[in-house]
Amino acid sequence: MPLKDKYHLRIPGPTPVPPQVQRAMTQPVIGHRSRLASQLIQECSERLKPIFGTRQQPLIVAGSGTSALEAAVVNTLSPGDEAVVVVTGAFGDRFAKIVETYGIGLHRLDIPWGKACEPEQLADFLKKHPGAKSVFLTYCETSTGVLNPVAELARTVRQHSDALVIVDGVSCVGAVPCQMDDWGVDIMVTGSQKALMLPPGLAFLAVSERAWQVIAGNRQPRFYLNLEAYRRKLEQEDTTPFTAAVSLLYGLKESLSLLEEEGFENVCSRHERLKNITRAGIRASGLTLMADDRHASPTVTSIDASQEKWDVEAFRKKLQSHGFYVAGGQQHLKGKIFRIGHMGYCDEWDILTVLAAVEVTLSQMGQSVEPGMATKAAQEVMMDV
């Protein structure tokens, strides 16, 4: 049995919160309209720019990542408009559902789950739907562990359409390269509880000038998610139009300091190594990886257990009894896969530990496991410096 209150959170969000960030959030609550709060909001927005790869001022919303996805839809489109949504998993499907909810003409480009969208597929689809005003993409598809080639896909949209390029980067921004200005992305969205190492409760959006022009002309009613109100308040008063989550902002300031101290290139390199270590260990254990090497996410790895003789959910429950939390599958993948998160406050030793736990748990479930095969393969990657 694990020690009381000691466990290993290896799901793709929420992710572990560093002790420094936890301490920062225990500071006394301040008034959300105070000068201190305005300084905090302005500083955090400015320091988010290199995370997004933008010269624009990122907006901070008190809400989940889904609130920012909805904001991206409701601010750029009106009922009767057409939009293309690339669906490579559960979160692309969520984007599609938001679009449908607002009466927008939805064109779904469905890609088999576990595969990435290739630029040629998107180009062909755009030719069939020239009226689309926005194209919605998912950078990291959390449900499958696939990292879509967003830079190439955005370029493809620009070549074949005048549509806005809107990207869900919730489960990877802050851990992978993101150059939204150079890539031609019009809106990039992320959330606090993933690579930014915070509890849930904040969402962030960066918006291009081209998108602001579209938003200004869009008559779709919106209130709490009115991005023009967020931009106006930030530019004129260094604040938000509604109550800011000030304690989370203190944590955000500290998490940005941690990323800056490590250096963002080093952050991205660390996540690449975590991916490689995880995949090497999983392969050596005899399990099947869901995503191919070319499109595997640096932040979450999916393991396909659909052909195994053991029960995935029983495996996860047994693993949890040892203090290890991994994620299951979503929608039609429920009971068929499990997912290991390795983003944010995570290092190589965390992955080595969870791989050892996977081996032990499989053995306890009656599977033939040679002890140390997964950890040996992982260690070999770790020693290859």
Side-chain angles (χ1 to χ4, degrees):
M1 291 291 292
L3 296 174
K4 181 177 173 59
D5 295 332
K6 183 175 183 179
Y7 60 91
H8 303 260
L9 189 64
R10 292 273 66 88
I11 63 174
T15 64
V17 177
Q20 305 97 308
V21 175
Q22 293 183 34
R23 289 193 293 270
M25 292 187 296
T26 65
Q27 295 181 64
V29 174
I30 58 176
H32 66 288
R33 296 296 181 220
S34 66
R35 187 61 206 154
L36 280 175
S38 291
Q39 290 171 349
L40 188 58
I41 291 166
Q42 196 281 331
E43 179 184 345
C44 286
S45 176
E46 188 68 26
R47 292 169 69 186
L48 281 166
K49 286 182 178 180
I51 303 296
F52 282 89
T54 185
R55 293 174 294 277
Q56 300 295 324
Q57 207 73 42
L59 307 176
I60 302 173
V61 177
S64 69
T66 303
S67 71
L69 302 182
E70 184 164 346
V73 172
V74 76
N75 280 268
T76 59
L77 294 165
S78 297
D81 288 343
E82 295 179 47
V84 166
V85 180
V86 179
V87 179
T88 55
F91 290 90
D93 184 59
R94 179 173 298 183
F95 240 155
K97 288 174 179 174
I98 295 170
V99 166
E100 281 186 308
T101 296
Y102 283 96
I104 294 151
L106 170 64
H107 303 296
R108 288 176 63 118
L109 172 52
D110 282 294
I111 306 295
W113 289 29
K115 304 293 183 184
C117 179
E118 299 289 354
E120 298 78 13
Q121 293 173 297
L122 181 56
D124 290 342
F125 197 75
L126 289 172
K127 291 173 186 176
K128 298 174 184 176
H129 304 287
K133 291 189 174 181
S134 294
V135 176
F136 295 89
L137 308 170
T138 307
Y139 196 172
C140 172
E141 179 45 73
T142 325
S143 66
T144 62
V146 165
L147 194 76
N148 283 294
V150 162
E152 298 172 51
L153 295 176
R155 183 166 59 248
T156 299
V157 176
R158 286 279 196 262
Q159 291 170 345
H160 296 278
S161 171
D162 292 325
L164 296 179
V165 180
I166 300 174
V167 178
D168 169 3
V170 171
S171 65
C172 64
V173 168
V176 298
C178 184
Q179 296 295 329
M180 64 169 284
D181 288 358
D182 292 344
W183 295 349
V185 171
D186 292 295
I187 299 180
M188 180 69 77
V189 170
T190 195
S192 58
Q193 77 277 19
K194 305 280 188 173
L196 293 178
M197 305 180 290
L198 290 161
L202 290 178
F204 313 99
L205 305 94
V207 183
S208 73
E209 282 302 325
R210 195 170 81 110
W212 281 123
Q213 293 174 14
V214 171
I215 290 169
N218 181 33
R219 299 275 66 87
Q220 168 78 299
R222 60 260 191 192
F223 186 75
Y224 186 77
L225 298 178
N226 184 349
L227 295 184
E228 288 183 303
Y230 283 86
R231 185 190 199 189
R232 186 166 54 250
K233 278 289 187 179
L234 185 60
E235 290 180 346
Q236 297 176 2
E237 302 175 44
D238 291 334
T239 189
T240 54
F242 309 104
T243 305
V246 290
S247 295
L248 284 170
L249 289 173
Y250 275 127
L252 175 61
K253 179 181 176 181
E254 186 61 31
S255 71
L256 291 171
S257 292
L258 292 175
L259 294 175
E260 289 163 2
E261 287 169 14
E262 186 176 356
F264 196 57
E265 285 189 10
N266 294 330
V267 171
C268 294
S269 296
R270 171 167 56 86
H271 283 86
E272 275 292 312
R273 282 182 61 77
L274 294 177
K275 174 190 76 175
N276 293 336
I277 290 166
T278 305
R279 291 174 70 81
I282 291 298
R283 277 198 179 100
S285 70
L287 298 175
T288 303
L289 292 161
M290 189 169 190
D292 63 35
D293 288 342
R294 189 163 66 101
H295 293 124
S297 170
T299 59
V300 55
T301 295
S302 284
I303 296 90
D304 182 358
S306 59
Q307 303 304 312
E308 302 291 345
K309 295 179 180 179
W310 44 271
D311 182 82
V312 173
E313 293 308 302
F315 164 80
R316 289 179 58 228
K317 186 176 180 180
K318 186 71 173 175
L319 199 60
Q320 186 174 323
S321 73
H322 298 314
F324 290 83
Y325 291 76
V326 299
Q330 295 174 290
Q331 296 189 24
H332 68 275
L333 294 180
K334 186 174 178 63
K336 296 181 179 179
I337 71 169
F338 69 95
R339 297 172 292 146
I340 299 173
H342 37 80
M343 75 182 92
Y345 192 57
C346 179
D347 63 22
E348 297 172 350
W349 303 103
D350 292 320
I351 300 306
L352 203 60
T353 306
V354 75
L355 289 172
V358 166
E359 284 188 318
V360 170
T361 303
L362 286 173
S363 177
Q364 291 174 337
M365 294 184 66
Q367 302 307 301
S368 178
V369 176
E370 185 175 343
M373 291 298 290
T375 51
K376 179 178 182 291
Q379 286 172 307
E380 288 172 349
V381 178
M382 290 170 66
M383 290 187 284
D384 183 18
V385 293

